[in-house]
Amino acid sequence: GRANAKVVTVKARLDEVKTLLADGNLRLLARDAKLIQNKADQAEKGEKLKKAEGVLEKKIGDYAIINAQVDEMDGEKLMLVSEAKVRAQEIEAAKQTLLKLTKAKTALEEQVEEVRADVALANQELAAMQTA
């Protein structure tokens, strides 16, 4: 009887241990499944991060190109401003020359009028001498 009771007790204990072991295995499997899911999530997040980095790199590249174009346009603008200043100086010089030429023309016209007046007076004197 005693041996039978011990066997029953050992069997019950063995069943208990088997149940605990099965529970432990289930928990391990659940943990493994969660780990696998976490790895998959991490891989997905890694892919999203790589895509975001790619987009960012492209934007940085675009920004660099735009900056280079802006610098180029600034250079062209400075050149145009410089050329405009040169043209303005040339226009001012031309205005001064035109002013001088206008003054010289006016002086010549006055001299022509004086010569005409002198010629008219000389003609009158000649006519007076011829009639006298």
Side-chain angles (χ1 to χ4, degrees), residues 16-78:
E16 205 178 292
V17 169
K18 281 182 181 176
T19 303
L20 286 174
L21 196 59
D23 283 350
N25 280 340
L26 283 176
R27 273 187 283 207
L28 272 174
L29 285 173
R31 267 201 194 137
D32 279 354
K34 192 166 188 164
L35 250 160
I36 289 168
Q37 184 59 48
N38 285 347
K39 282 183 181 178
D41 290 349
Q42 205 171 11
E44 187 182 332
K45 287 178 183 174
E47 286 302 312
K48 285 182 181 176
L49 183 61
K50 280 183 182 177
K51 282 182 185 175
E53 286 173 344
V55 168
L56 185 61
E57 281 179 26
K58 186 187 180 320
K59 286 185 179 183
I60 289 171
D62 291 349
Y63 181 73
I65 290 170
I66 290 168
N67 270 345
Q69 289 172 340
V70 166
D71 289 346
E72 190 179 319
M73 284 189 243
D74 284 346
E76 289 174 6
K77 179 181 160 191
L78 287 174

Side-chain angles (χ1 to χ4, degrees), residues 49-113:
L49 183 61
K50 280 183 182 177
K51 282 182 185 175
E53 286 173 344
V55 168
L56 185 61
E57 281 179 26
K58 186 187 180 320
K59 286 185 179 183
I60 289 171
D62 291 349
Y63 181 73
I65 290 170
I66 290 168
N67 270 345
Q69 289 172 340
V70 166
D71 289 346
E72 190 179 319
M73 284 189 243
D74 284 346
E76 289 174 6
K77 179 181 160 191
L78 287 174
M79 205 166 59
L80 289 172
V81 167
S82 177
E83 287 177 14
K85 285 180 182 177
V86 168
R87 296 297 167 265
Q89 290 170 347
E90 290 172 354
I91 289 170
E92 189 55 38
K95 282 182 184 177
Q96 293 301 320
T97 302
L98 184 61
L99 188 63
K100 287 178 187 174
L101 288 173
T102 302
K103 285 181 181 178
K105 178 186 170 203
T106 303
L108 284 173
E109 286 172 346
E110 288 172 1
Q111 288 176 355
V112 166
E113 285 305 312

